[in-house]
């Protein structure tokens, strides 16, 4: 309501000033016996336009028309001043005041337009199912984040989900494209990256190289609605977060003969980073390593080991995936060492993990705060290690454009 009042306040004040000035000028011209009919008609017409625009709710049109009326009044006022020898001082004063009103109107226009984002994020928000929280901060958001990941993002869509938490901590519009069970790499049963439900498939769709119909399955209706609602060209940060499903599906860790092989974990990460950098060169990319996890035998629930020691059929552990992901960290690609630095381990796993893999609300909160700090810094702000973004005024620390 406050913004709406501010939206119309400047035009209404300008119109009021212009009406008073025209009335004063016309009285002065009548007294001097020298009416400027053309100036009177033009100013009156423009004021009518301004009043109509303000009545219709078009504040920008009202500002423009009112400014034009003030300019016309200045001309008429100057003409009257030159003709009316008995009241030249008053006429000149009116001309100066009208010119000042026009200048004020132009400054008000510039102030309203400064930094204004004409893209209406909330108008693009898809319908939210029950229990799903909005991950859009709105037109006041400081950045746009697109998350490409697995069930850590897809399974939790409430206010304590990663999408909503990142939106809150980063004051950002977050588009959560997480898919439950998704791998980074193209799986053996999938034909290619352009027809894959993997991270490579999602990135291929984002970059316009394949139809989203070939990527999002029927169970991915929410992610598809998010995809359809997103203008990816506006993205400031892409988050790539995969790993555990690649481990569980026994995806090859690397391919020494083809380092960009999309059917290997490292090659898939390389493919996604390369595609996004080529398509969106101004966007930052953050690769997120899989976190600490534990494995249990189905049925019996017997403990089988954790990400440090339990090897899959390819002969590698989850911690080996982390080492591969870490290799992407450089000046152009950020890296989040979830496994080593988040603080989840064998001692607090029951508190931080729901089932040995997926995080509890407390675990997701720590994760979101850690990732938010990385993202905040990537956008030129300053925030200390271990700091809750809610506890500091990091917005005031902008260090670059």
């Amino acid at each position: 309501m406050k913004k709406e009042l501010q939206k119309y306040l400047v035009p209404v004040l300008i119109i009021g000033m212009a009406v008073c000035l025209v009335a004063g000028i016309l009285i002065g011209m009548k007294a001097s016996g020298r009416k400027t009919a053309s100036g009177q008609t033009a100013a009156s017409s423009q004021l009518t336009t301004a009043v109509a625009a303000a009545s219709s709710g078009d504040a920008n049109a009202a500002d423009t028309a009112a400014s034009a009326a003030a300019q016309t009044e200045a001309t008429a006022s100057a003409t009257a001043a030159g003709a009316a020898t008995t009241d030249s001082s008053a006429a000149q004063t009116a001309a100066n005041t009208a010119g000042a009103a026009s200048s004020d109107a132009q400054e008000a226009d510039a102030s309203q337009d400064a930094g204004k984002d004409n893209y209406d994020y909330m108008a693009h928000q898809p319908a939210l199912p029950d229990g799903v929280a909005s991950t859009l901060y709105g037109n006041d958001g400081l950045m746009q984040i697109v998350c490409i990941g697995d069930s850590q993002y897809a399974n939790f869509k409430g206010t304590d989900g990663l999408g909503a938490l990142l939106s809150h901590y980063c004051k950002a519009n977050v588009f959560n494209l997480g898919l439950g069970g998704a791998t980074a790499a193209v799986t053996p049963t999938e034909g290619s990256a352009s027809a894959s439900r993997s991270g490579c498939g999602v990135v291929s769709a984002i970059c316009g190289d394949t139809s989203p119909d070939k990527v999002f399955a029927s169970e991915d209706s929410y992610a598809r609605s998010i995809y359809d609602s997103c203008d990816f060209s506006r993205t400031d940060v892409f988050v790539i977060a995969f790993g555990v499903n690649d481990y569980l599906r026994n995806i090859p860790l690397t391919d020494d003969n083809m380092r960009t092989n999309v059917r290997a974990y490292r090659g898939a990460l390389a493919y996604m980073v390369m595609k996004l950098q080529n398509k969106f060169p101004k966007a930052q990319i953050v690769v997120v390593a899989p976190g600490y996890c534990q494995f249990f035998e189905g049925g019996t629930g017997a403990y089988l080991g954790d990400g440090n020691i339990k090897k899959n059929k390819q002969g590698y552990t989850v911690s080996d995936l982390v080492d591969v992901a870490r290799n992407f960290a450089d000046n152009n690609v950020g890296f989040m060492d979830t496994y080593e630095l988040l603080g989840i381990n064998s001692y607090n796993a029951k508190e931080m993990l729901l089932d040995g893999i997926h995080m509890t609300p407390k675990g997701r909160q720590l994760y979101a705060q850690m990732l938010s700090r990385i993202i905040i810094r990537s956008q030129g702000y300053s925030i200390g290690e271990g700091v809750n973004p809610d506890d500091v005024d990091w917005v005031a620390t902008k260090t670059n454009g």
Side-chain angles (χ1 to χ4, degrees):
M1 183 61 73
K2 183 177 180 180
K3 289 184 178 179
E4 289 300 316
L5 290 174
Q6 291 175 340
K7 178 180 178 182
Y8 295 106
L9 182 59
V10 172
V12 170
L13 289 175
I14 294 170
I15 292 167
M17 291 174 62
V19 169
C20 292
L21 287 167
V22 170
I25 292 166
L26 294 179
I27 291 172
M29 288 191 293
K30 183 176 181 180
S32 66
R34 299 176 184 270
K35 294 184 179 179
T36 54
S38 61
Q40 175 188 357
T41 302
S44 177
S45 174
Q46 287 156 346
L47 280 171
T48 301
T49 302
V51 171
S55 299
S56 66
D58 191 342
N60 289 332
D63 284 348
T64 301
S67 178
Q71 294 278 15
T72 303
E73 290 154 26
T75 302
S77 171
T79 302
T85 56
T86 58
D87 197 16
S88 60
S89 177
Q92 186 60 52
T93 300
N96 292 339
T97 305
S102 175
S103 176
D104 288 344
Q106 293 172 354
E107 290 180 5
D109 284 344
S111 176
Q112 288 180 353
D113 290 339
K116 186 176 181 180
D117 188 344
N118 293 322
Y119 186 83
D120 190 346
Y121 275 98
M122 302 315 291
H124 288 76
Q125 178 169 261
L128 300 176
D130 291 341
V132 175
S134 173
T135 58
L136 298 187
Y137 202 84
N139 285 10
D140 293 331
L142 299 180
M143 63 192 84
Q144 176 172 303
I145 302 170
V146 172
C147 299
I148 308 162
D150 52 27
S151 56
Q152 297 286 15
Y153 287 82
N155 287 8
F156 310 100
K157 301 188 183 79
T159 55
D160 61 357
L162 293 179
L165 289 171
L166 287 175
S167 177
H168 170 75
Y169 289 132
C170 294
K171 305 183 188 302
N173 293 295
V174 176
F175 292 83
N176 179 5
L177 296 178
L179 302 178
T183 54
V186 178
T187 65
T189 59
E190 295 174 319
S192 65
S194 62
S196 169
R197 192 172 170 273
S198 66
C200 290
V202 173
V203 168
S204 182
I206 288 174
C207 293
D209 294 335
T210 190
S211 168
D213 295 337
K214 295 182 179 181
V215 176
F216 298 99
S218 59
E219 66 267 27
D220 304 323
S221 59
Y222 175 74
R224 174 58 189 272
S225 69
I226 294 296
Y227 172 90
D228 290 339
S229 71
C230 184
D231 178 356
F232 294 102
S233 68
R234 306 179 66 83
T235 304
D236 298 292
V237 182
F238 286 98
V239 175
I240 299 173
F242 295 94
V244 175
N245 290 319
D246 292 82
Y247 166 88
L248 294 173
R249 298 286 293 273
N250 299 299
I251 297 294
L253 190 62
T254 60
D255 182 348
D256 293 336
N257 296 321
M258 184 178 177
R259 293 177 65 80
T260 57
N261 184 357
V262 295
R263 297 187 183 278
Y265 180 68
R266 188 200 182 284
L269 292 181
Y271 174 90
M272 287 186 276
V273 169
M274 177 189 68
K275 295 283 286 185
L276 291 174
Q277 285 181 331
N278 289 341
K279 184 70 174 182
F280 311 102
K282 293 183 179 180
Q284 297 291 316
I285 299 173
V286 178
V287 173
V288 179
Y292 175 84
C293 50
Q294 296 180 334
F295 303 100
F296 303 87
E297 187 176 54
T300 67
Y303 178 68
L304 300 176
D306 63 10
N308 294 314
I309 61 174
K310 179 70 171 65
K311 295 183 178 181
N312 65 3
K313 292 180 180 179
Q314 288 283 342
Y316 64 83
T317 65
V318 174
S319 61
D320 291 329
L321 286 167
V322 178
D323 291 336
V324 170
R326 185 180 290 111
N327 290 333
F328 286 88
D330 58 25
N331 292 332
N332 298 315
V333 180
F335 175 68
M336 175 167 158
D337 193 346
T338 318
Y339 199 93
E340 295 290 340
L341 302 180
L342 188 59
I344 300 178
N345 50 50
S346 59
Y347 298 102
N348 61 14
K350 289 184 177 180
E351 178 186 4
M352 297 295 186
L353 301 175
L354 293 169
D355 51 10
I357 295 176
H358 299 98
M359 293 175 289
T360 62
K362 184 174 182 179
R364 292 195 295 275
Q365 186 177 63
L366 292 177
Y367 178 112
Q369 289 180 6
M370 183 177 180
L371 180 53
S372 293
R373 289 191 292 270
I374 294 172
I375 291 174
I376 287 168
R377 293 189 197 107
S378 79
Q379 298 305 296
Y381 301 93
S382 177
I383 187 170
E385 280 299 330
V387 174
N388 180 342
D390 279 347
D391 293 341
V392 295
D393 184 17
W394 56 268
V395 176
T397 68
K398 184 77 170 180
T399 56
N400 64 47

